[in-house]
Each structure stands twice: as C-alpha cells, then as structure tokens.
Amino acid sequence: MKISSWPYFEKWIFLGFIIGILIGVFSISFTLLLNFLETIFLKDILQTTIPKPLGEGGNLNYTFVSGRFIFFPLIVGLGGLISGILIYKLSPETAGGGVDFAIESYHKLQGKIRKRVPFVELFSSTFILGSGGSAGDLGPMGLIGGGLGSVISQYFGLTPEDTRKAVAVGIGAGVGSIFKAPIGGALLSAEILYRRDLEPDVILPSMIASATAYSIYGSVVGFEPLFGIYPFHFSPLRLPLYALLGIIIGILSILFVKIYKSISAFFKKMKIKSIFKPAIGGLITGGLILIFPEVIGTGYGWDDILEFGNFSPIKTYGIPIIIFLFILAIAKMVSSSLTIGSGGSGGIEAPAFEIGAFIGAGVGMIFHNLLPSLVPYVAPFVVIGMLTMFGGPAKAPISVMIIITEMTSSLQLLPGEMIAVALAYVITGKYTLYPAQYPTRKDSPAHKSEYEIPVMLSIKIDECPLTELKAYSTDDIKEVSKRMEEEGYLSLPVVDKNNTFIGIVYYRDIADKKGEVINYTIRGVPYVSPNANLEDAWEVISRTKSRWVAVVENGKLKGVVTVESLLDRYEKEVMKIKGKSENNEEYNS
C-alpha cells in the first residue's frame, strides 16, 4: 500500500521521522563542513579568530587577533566566487537567503524542489560563511530541510498538498536542529509561510521531525543552548523599557528591510554575469570587515559577548560605545545585505539577531546610565533585541520568541519579549524579510480552491441585462402560441393587468387550444429575485426546462434573464478575473 493512502497520523508520524533523520545528518554535515572551512580560511590563511557562542565551546574572554587581516576582502571575495560558481552553474535556486525560496516553493511550485538543491546549498552557504561572509546558517538549513522534505515526498509519490506540507516540515526541522530549538522550529514551520496567518496542519509532523533532527544533531555537537544559560533576574518594572525597545527596533527593522531590498535590486540590475556578483559582494563586505570585524560570519559569539556586557573587545575608534553600537548595527545591515543580496548563499536571520543585539546593547546602556538601579545590566535588552529584530520583520513573532527562549534556556524574559516583538511586528507592517510570504492562507495559491468563491455565486442577477418577455392572463391562446412560434420560446411568464407574476404557460399546453392564457397557466413555479446569483438562476432554468428565468421583486415581474444573457455575463466575469490574475503575476515577478 502506498504511503499516500495511509491514515493521516500514521503517514505523518512516519514521514516526520524520515525527514527528521535526514535533516539531522545534514545539520551535522553543515556544522562540520563550516568548522573545517573556517579553520582553513580564517585560522590558517588569515591567522585570525572569531568569537564562538557559549553553546559551541566559546567563552566571554575573547581577544581579537588580527593576523593577516588585511587580506580579508580577498578571502571573502574568494568565498563569494566559489559560492557563485556552485550556485549559478548547478542550482540558481540556492541564491539568496534560502528560506524565501522554500516558502515560494510551498505557495507556487506545489512544494517541488530539485534533488540537487540541498547539496548545492550545503556547500555554497558554508563557503560563504567559512570565508567570513556576513550571513547566517538558519536560512541555508531552512532550505536544505525544505528541499529534503520535498525530495522525500516526491520519492514516495505523495500528493502536491502533502509535498507542500513536507517542505514546511523540513524548514522547521532544519531550523530546530541547527539552533537547538526544536519547539520553536516546529512552530516556525507553520508561521514563516505567512505574514498574518499560520499553517496548523504542519505543526504535528514538524514536532516529530524537529525533535528527531535536534536529537541526532545534539548527540554529536552537544545539547547546550546556543547562547548558554541566561543567569539574570527578571523585573516587571522594566516592561515599559522593553516596550520602548520594541518600538525602536520596529522602526529600524524597516530600515533593515529597505537596505536589504535596495542592495538586492542593485545587484540584480548589475550588467555582469551572475556568477561573479557574490564575489563583488564579498569584496565589499571584506572591506567593511577591515573596519568592523564584528560583522564577520554569523555573529553568534558577539551576541553572547554583548549579552554579558563585555564591550572591551570592540574597537570604537574613540567613538562613545553607545553610538558605536548603533553604527555596528548599520554596518551589519549593510554587510549582510551585500553578502546575501549579491546572490550569495546565506541566511538573513543570524544577521538580524546580531543587529538586534547591537541595538539592544546600545538602548540597554542608555537606560543603565539613566536608571542604574532599575537596569543594572544590559543582558535582557540584548536578548529581547535579538528576538525582536528577527521576529518582527520575519513575521514570525511567536515561533522566534520560543526559539530565543530555547537558545538562552530561560523563560524569565517572556513577558518582555512578548511586548517588544508584538510592537515591532505591528510597526513593520508590510515590510518583511521574506518577499515570498503571502498575507494569509486565503491569499496563497496553495489554498486558492478552498477560499475561492465560484464565479456564478459572485454574480448577482441585477448585474445581468433583463429581457421584456411576458403574456397577460387575459391574452388569447391563439395569439400567444403564434408569438411563441415566431420568437422561438416554448414558455412565457404570465402576469395580470397589474404586472403581478402568476406563473408560466407552456406551448405544449396551448397548441391548438382556445380560450385565455389564465386557464392554462401553471402556478407556483420558481423564480429569482434581483439579489439572487447566477447559480440560483441556472437551477431554476434546469427545473422549469426553459430558456429563461423570471425575475420577480415584491411580487412584480421585472423581466426575465435568458440563458444567452447569463452566459454572456459569466464569460465577461471570467475574462476580468483572468486579466487580474495576469496583472498580479506580472506585478509579483
């Protein structure tokens, strides 16, 4: 028996385990390959180091080692060139942030992703990150997971609906494993697809896949939370300050999205071969790294350093640290947009975390200077800043809130996180890091048939032209039958002298007969009102076996709608819908 015919729960429990196992293996491969490439490019060639988060064996006593730092632009450019070759020679779908293509596949491609995509994404993104490019690992693992879900679904011959679900499940499992946040990853699979909606059907299989992938990944790299354990105490008195932080980050999130889109658009218009564009983005990013080494790679190590208030490794060039933290946030916006927007392969999510950490640290220091007893440390502002800068413009406030909670192993900040990310989510409005997202399920092509109102139901009778057609109850039968023969009707509506609808007279009943029409009128026949729709009219026509249907309002005959006028109105509406669809496709492209 085919898996597609299995009962729902049995099918998705099985598929959840299979998807989770594969993603767990790929997550391990991703981390090992990234560490290997970082060793070659950063440690051996450039003789420099970058801070690691506590969950990856890092510590807070980081000291920057410059080594051959001057060659950073060349190395990042080389990583971009290698990535560009892999992407544009093998799989152009892997260009950019990763998750966005997986979302597009869900909505527009019936979940179909080519088998090569996870493998190309694995190598192209790790070369970008391993050489110091300013990007993240969530996006690549989201696409790898979604791609593996799609491949598994196609292998088992599942329906397009199940294939789409498998892509969403894969996105969540990929994120849940690489971030060591299985609960948040499972929720993300349902939330990341839309700007204002959820896909509830994917949560159960995502829980299984995410838990499985996380368990396999953690058994090799360890189960420590990525950012260590948050050790500070929560104070409800700081809630208004967290709300203000949410407003600030909400505004700056819009700036981030605009910078990202502008740089992406610039590189798309650049008249050189796409294969070289990531190298150019890498060269410019490398130039920024010479001034701001904090923007190297994912930035997770810097997130931890900022959380625990260790600002000594940051070289401020004589600029006050608070101001410089905001400058670093802008530098990270630009560097990550250059790395990813140039067509390189990397996630936009880790940069959002680091940008939020810089802003949160800056805002936290301001409040610390103004209210030292209320704000004795900046840690909560850094953590909430990370969450808010990603959760707001990603349109995934719930899942990202849970992800950060798992990454810090603390529930203390949930009230502040909820307020801040909710405000940022509202402020960012239409601005999103994922252009492929649809507003709601109703807007998605994947659910179009579920929400679409049939054309015939959407057209009212009063939108159709009415024909003047009737016989009076006192008319002579011979005259009426002659008129039917001349005009080609087999029946006519019958009214009295006040135009009150009485019923129908059929030609078969009056042929070769004498008398008045009223004697042969069939009463109690169905009719429609002006507010009825075309489907109602078709139903009456089929029941009365006529070429028309009487339109009656307040008992009075307004006219009849003929089959010809119904068809004409229907065709016009269909053409209008097709025109709108073509315009939307042109706009979206």
Side-chain angles (χ1 to χ4, degrees):
M1 184 170 64
K2 289 186 177 181
I3 292 178
S4 58
S5 62
W6 287 12
Y8 178 84
F9 290 109
E10 286 88 337
K11 175 174 63 178
W12 281 109
I13 288 173
F14 172 77
L15 291 173
F17 278 120
I18 297 297
I19 293 172
I21 291 170
L22 278 180
I23 291 175
V25 172
F26 265 78
S27 298
I28 295 169
S29 303
F30 186 96
T31 297
L32 294 178
L33 181 58
L34 177 58
N35 291 339
F36 173 72
L37 292 173
E38 283 181 344
T39 300
I40 293 177
F41 286 120
L42 303 184
K43 185 178 180 181
D44 296 341
I45 297 178
L46 293 176
Q47 297 182 352
T48 190
T49 58
I50 58 174
K52 292 285 187 180
L54 296 177
E56 294 181 358
N59 61 72
L60 302 176
N61 299 316
Y62 170 72
T63 301
F64 175 68
V65 178
S66 59
R68 300 168 180 153
F69 203 66
I70 192 67
F71 297 108
F72 228 109
L74 295 178
I75 295 301
V76 182
L78 176 62
L81 179 61
I82 296 171
S83 180
I85 293 171
L86 291 171
I87 291 168
Y88 294 103
K89 290 292 185 181
L90 299 176
S91 179
E93 305 99 308
T94 60
V99 167
D100 201 52
F101 177 73
I103 296 173
E104 181 181 357
S105 169
Y106 178 90
H107 290 300
K108 295 183 177 180
L109 306 178
Q110 297 183 332
K112 291 182 180 178
I113 297 176
R114 293 195 294 171
K115 297 179 180 67
R116 67 179 68 181
V117 168
F119 298 94
V120 176
E121 181 72 10
L122 173 67
F123 287 95
S124 62
S125 59
T126 50
F127 268 103
I128 287 283
L129 292 169
S131 62
S134 186
D137 49 6
L138 184 153
M141 276 310 305
L143 179 54
I144 289 171
L148 291 172
S150 178
V151 170
I152 291 168
S153 181
Q154 293 177 65
Y155 174 79
F156 286 117
L158 300 186
T159 63
E161 180 183 359
D162 283 342
T163 302
R164 287 196 302 266
K165 287 180 183 178
V167 169
V169 169
I171 294 173
V175 173
S177 62
I178 204 70
F179 272 2
K180 302 179 186 177
I183 302 173
L187 292 176
L188 186 76
S189 67
E191 193 176 19
I192 200 71
L193 303 170
Y194 304 100
R195 298 201 291 270
R196 312 193 298 270
D197 209 341
L198 293 168
E199 193 66 67
D201 287 348
V202 305
I203 294 178
L204 174 65
S206 291
M207 290 169 60
I208 296 169
S210 188
T212 304
Y214 162 76
S215 300
I216 293 172
Y217 181 67
S219 65
V220 175
V221 305
F223 293 98
E224 297 82 3
L226 188 63
F227 294 126
I229 298 176
Y230 180 83
F232 303 102
H233 295 293
F234 171 75
S235 171
L237 297 177
R238 291 195 288 265
L239 287 178
L241 305 183
Y242 299 147
L244 184 58
L245 175 62
I247 293 171
I248 293 171
I249 289 187
I251 295 170
L252 292 177
S253 294
I254 297 175
L255 175 64
F256 181 30
V257 172
K258 287 187 173 182
I259 289 174
Y260 180 44
K261 287 187 175 181
S262 298
I263 291 178
S264 298
F266 173 78
F267 275 96
K268 285 181 180 178
K269 293 177 182 177
M270 189 180 289
K271 295 181 179 179
I272 63 170
K273 289 186 176 180
S274 296
I275 199 171
F276 298 116
K277 292 179 181 179
I280 296 173
L283 284 170
I284 303 173
T285 299
L288 280 172
I289 288 173
L290 295 179
I291 306 171
F292 307 108
E294 295 84 1
V295 304
I296 298 173
T298 62
Y300 295 145
W302 286 107
D303 297 340
D304 254 342
I305 288 172
L306 292 169
E307 178 187 345
F308 288 89
N310 180 19
F311 300 110
S312 58
I314 299 177
K315 184 178 180 181
T316 64
Y317 304 99
I319 300 172
I321 184 63
I322 294 176
I323 296 175
F324 195 73
L325 287 170
F326 285 95
I327 294 174
L328 282 174
I330 302 298
K332 186 67 176 184
M333 291 182 191
V334 175
S335 62
S336 59
S337 298
L338 285 166
T339 302
I340 305 164
S342 62
S345 180
I348 197 67
E349 301 81 12
F353 279 162
E354 190 176 13
I355 293 165
F358 286 135
I359 297 171
V363 172
M365 288 195 70
I366 292 173
F367 288 140
H368 172 71
N369 293 337
L370 295 174
L371 304 165
S373 59
L374 181 61
V375 186
Y377 33 74
V378 301
F381 293 90
V382 172
V383 174
I384 292 176
M386 291 162 56
L387 152 74
T388 308
M389 180 54 80
F390 177 34
K395 302 305 171 188
I398 300 172
S399 53
V400 176
M401 184 169 58
I402 302 301
I403 286 172
I404 286 293
T405 299
E406 293 179 279
M407 294 172 79
T408 58
S409 192
S410 174
L411 296 171
Q412 291 189 50
L413 291 177
L414 271 177
E417 292 170 350
M418 293 165 70
I419 291 172
V421 76
L423 290 170
Y425 173 83
V426 172
I427 290 170
T428 51
K430 65 179 181 180
Y431 294 96
T432 173
L433 292 171
Y434 304 115
Q437 287 176 327
Y438 278 80
T440 65
R441 286 161 54 90
K442 181 179 179 181
D443 303 292
S444 169
H447 296 287
K448 187 175 182 180
S449 60
E450 299 174 29
Y451 293 92
E452 184 181 57
I453 299 176
V455 175
M456 292 180 66
L457 288 177
S458 66
I459 304 173
K460 301 297 183 183
I461 292 298
D462 59 7
E463 298 176 40
C464 301
L466 299 182
T467 300
E468 184 72 22
L469 184 68
K470 59 187 174 183
Y472 287 97
S473 59
T474 57
D475 284 348
D476 183 72
I477 288 298
K478 288 185 178 181
E479 293 180 2
V480 173
S481 60
K482 182 180 179 182
R483 179 183 167 194
M484 287 185 181
E485 292 171 357
E486 291 175 350
E487 297 183 6
Y489 289 103
L490 296 178
S491 61
L492 290 177
V494 179
V495 298
D496 62 15
K497 61 180 180 180
N498 296 318
N499 204 44
T500 300
F501 179 69
I502 300 175
I504 296 178
V505 61
Y506 288 94
Y507 179 79
R508 65 174 183 268
D509 295 332
I510 62 173
D512 301 323
K513 300 285 178 67
K514 295 180 180 181
E516 294 182 347
V517 169
I518 190 64
N519 297 324
Y520 299 92
T521 300
I522 297 176
R523 300 172 184 267
V525 295
Y527 57 84
V528 296
S529 69
N531 291 325
N533 54 58
L534 260 61
E535 188 165 297
D536 297 328
W538 277 113
E539 183 179 349
V540 173
I541 287 173
S542 64
R543 288 170 59 187
T544 58
K545 296 180 174 59
S546 299
R547 286 178 47 208
W548 51 267
V549 59
V551 181
V552 178
E553 186 175 27
N554 298 324
K556 306 294 183 180
L557 181 68
K558 296 193 67 175
V560 300
V561 176
T562 64
V563 171
E564 291 78 11
S565 64
L566 291 179
L567 290 173
D568 182 64
R569 183 65 186 85
Y570 177 83
E571 290 175 357
K572 287 181 179 179
E573 187 67 18
V574 170
M575 293 301 295
K576 184 168 70 173
I577 292 172
K578 286 183 177 179
K580 286 183 179 179
S581 177
E582 291 172 358
N583 290 336
N584 288 337
E585 289 178 4
E586 183 178 337
Y587 174 78
N588 291 330
S589 63

